């Protein structure tokens, strides 16, 4: 019974203890990020801007390197840079000493991560960078270290307490490294005016890739469009709705400009009118339908449809309908 009671008491205490531990960890890492923000506003900002300039003007790639947890962070920074328009790759410093230094070219910039700045495995890649005049940017907490002294630009992280209760496991330190790497990637993205369209080129897969596609890629056009001219009798308009299967018909002026749209909703609102057969489309249509252009991202089209509670968007160019995108098209594309 005593053992069973102790187990039961431990089970009850564990959730509260785990939550308290999580809050301490996140709070400690938050404090580290606050120190990093303060440092950028007071001394670190100059070297940071210089690093952005150096990388932005490089004709080659950014070579990330680091050992242990710093290496894992380096891999993530390399992936973020590459996906946002800055060519980058990770080179393991130990493998670099056994042939992978050939991946580093004179036009590249090496971005080396080491909290202490004295990581033994970085010695060869540091020496290689200095010998062949490859740009070297350091992210370290020790500007007086070997890495800090040899770097062309040293991004010195502020000293901060690790979240690990023993003060040993890299936690706050890696959070600061990662945040600074993200800051570099975003600053470089903004410097080159990297667009959402360019972003989509590097992210073709999954829901994100689908949301970055353009309306022109999924819209219905040409003979598929349900279109009638102003003055068309409602009976003919309803036949066009049935024939094309989009639940709506686009109404155009004599010169092809958009005049309005008749939807299933418009029909339901007018179905009990005794004179419906005698009416023309302009008596029933919505004169100001929601529209997009062919370059609109699918994510934006979805937002418009959901916020407006509509199922079809007219695609226009120069005031003339050139396509139609239905909610079902967005479902099939994977964006919804």
């Amino acid at each position: 019974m005593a053992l069973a009671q102790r187990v039961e008491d431990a089970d009850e205490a564990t959730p509260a203890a785990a939550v308290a531990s999580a809050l301490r960890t996140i709070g400690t890492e938050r404090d580290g990020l606050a120190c990093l923000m303060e440092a950028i506003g007071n001394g670190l900002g100059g070297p940071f801007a210089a690093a952005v300039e150096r990388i932005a003007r490089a004709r080659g790639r950014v070579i990330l390197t680091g050992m242990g947890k710093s290496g894992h962070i380096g891999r993530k920074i390399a992936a973020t840079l590459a996906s946002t328009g800055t060519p980058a790759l990770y080179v393991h410093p130990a493998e670099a000493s056994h042939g992978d230094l050939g991946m580093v070219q004179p036009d590249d910039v090496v971005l080396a991560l080491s909290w202490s700045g004295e990581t033994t495995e970085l010695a060869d890649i540091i020496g290689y960078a200095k010998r062949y005049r490859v740009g070297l940017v350091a992210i370290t907490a020790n500007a007086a270290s070997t890495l800090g002294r040899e770097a062309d630009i040293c991004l010195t992280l502020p000293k901060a307490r690790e979240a690990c209760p023993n003060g040993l496991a890299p936690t706050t330190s890696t959070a600061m490294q990662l945040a600074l790497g993200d800051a570099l990637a975003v600053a470089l993205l903004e410097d080159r005016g990297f667009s959402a369209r360019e972003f989509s080129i590097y992210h073709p897969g999954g829901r994100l890739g689908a949301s970055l596609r353009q309306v022109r890629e999924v819209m219905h056009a040409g003979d598929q469009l349900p279109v009638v001219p102003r003055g068309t009798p409602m009976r003919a308009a309803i036949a066009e709705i049935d024939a094309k299967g989009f639940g709506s018909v686009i109404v155009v002026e004599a010169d092809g400009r958009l005049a309005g749209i008749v939807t299933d909703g418009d029909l339901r609102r007018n179905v009990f009118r005794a004179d419906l057969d005698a009416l023309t489309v302009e008596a029933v249509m919505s004169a100001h339908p929601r529209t997009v252009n062919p370059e609109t991202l699918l994510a934006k089209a979805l937002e418009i449809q959901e916020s407006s509670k509509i199922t079809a968007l007219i695609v226009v160019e120069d005031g003339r309908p050139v396509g139609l995108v239905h909610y079902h098209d967005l479902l099939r594309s994977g964006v919804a």
Side-chain angles (χ1 to χ4, degrees):
M1 284 293 294
L3 177 59
Q5 185 63 49
R6 286 199 300 271
V7 170
E8 183 178 338
D9 291 343
D11 288 343
E12 292 177 355
T14 297
V19 170
S21 175
L23 292 174
R24 284 195 303 272
T25 299
I26 295 170
T28 303
E29 294 189 356
R30 177 198 59 201
D31 293 342
L33 294 177
C35 290
L36 178 59
M37 290 180 66
E38 183 179 351
I40 290 176
N42 185 26
L44 180 55
F48 179 84
V52 171
E53 174 73 14
R54 184 67 175 267
I55 294 171
R57 304 299 168 250
R59 291 180 293 177
R61 306 151 303 171
V62 182
I63 308 298
L64 276 294
T65 191
M67 279 296 295
K69 303 301 184 293
S70 292
H72 294 308
I73 298 300
R75 288 183 175 89
K76 192 277 177 185
I77 295 173
T80 301
L81 287 168
S83 72
T84 53
T86 301
L89 60 88
Y90 174 79
V91 173
H92 194 288
E95 297 294 342
S97 302
H98 296 274
D100 282 2
L101 281 173
M103 296 181 180
V104 185
Q105 298 299 307
D107 289 336
D108 295 338
V109 175
V110 173
L111 180 55
L113 291 81
S114 170
W115 184 252
S116 69
E118 297 294 350
T119 303
T120 303
E121 291 86 352
L122 288 174
D124 287 338
I125 200 166
I126 293 172
Y128 182 89
K130 302 306 293 182
R131 179 180 179 183
Y132 292 101
R133 298 183 180 180
V134 178
L136 178 59
V137 178
I139 296 180
T140 179
N142 187 2
S145 65
T146 300
L147 176 60
R149 293 194 312 270
E150 295 297 330
D152 301 311
I153 301 169
C154 183
L155 303 179
T156 307
L157 296 169
K159 298 291 175 60
R161 183 168 59 90
E162 298 286 14
C164 166
N166 298 317
L168 299 174
T171 45
T172 306
S173 56
T174 50
M176 288 194 292
Q177 288 177 329
L178 181 58
L180 190 59
D182 285 343
L184 280 170
V186 173
L188 288 161
L189 178 156
E190 293 173 345
D191 179 76
R192 63 170 43 90
F194 192 73
S195 68
R197 180 58 180 165
E198 291 172 297
F199 192 81
S200 70
I201 294 171
Y202 303 123
H203 297 77
R207 186 170 180 177
L208 176 59
S211 69
L212 293 170
R213 295 171 63 192
Q214 295 181 331
V215 164
R216 69 166 67 252
E217 300 176 52
V218 301
M219 72 181 190
H220 303 273
D223 293 340
Q224 294 179 323
L225 276 185
V227 178
V228 296
R230 181 187 284 273
T232 298
M234 279 303 302
R235 182 177 295 275
I238 293 171
E240 181 72 357
I241 292 174
D242 288 340
K244 298 299 172 64
F246 294 113
S248 60
V249 63
I250 302 167
V251 182
V252 296
E253 305 286 359
D255 62 0
R257 289 182 297 109
L258 177 64
I261 188 171
V262 177
T263 68
D264 283 342
D266 295 320
L267 293 177
R268 287 194 298 272
R269 285 186 287 273
N270 289 273
V271 70
F272 295 111
R273 292 181 60 167
D275 60 345
L276 182 60
D277 281 349
L279 297 177
T280 56
V281 287
E282 53 265 37
V284 176
M285 73 181 187
S286 301
H288 302 287
R290 299 302 302 269
T291 64
V292 293
N293 61 58
E295 288 74 37
T296 300
L297 297 181
L298 294 189
K300 180 63 176 178
L302 177 64
E303 176 192 337
I304 294 172
Q305 288 191 344
E306 292 186 335
S307 63
S308 302
K309 295 180 171 58
I310 57 177
T311 58
L313 278 171
I314 303 170
V315 186
V316 299
E317 279 187 319
D318 299 324
R320 291 172 168 78
V322 296
L324 182 142
V325 59
H326 195 275
Y327 188 73
H328 291 163
D329 301 319
L330 301 181
L331 291 176
R332 284 190 290 269
S333 75
V335 68

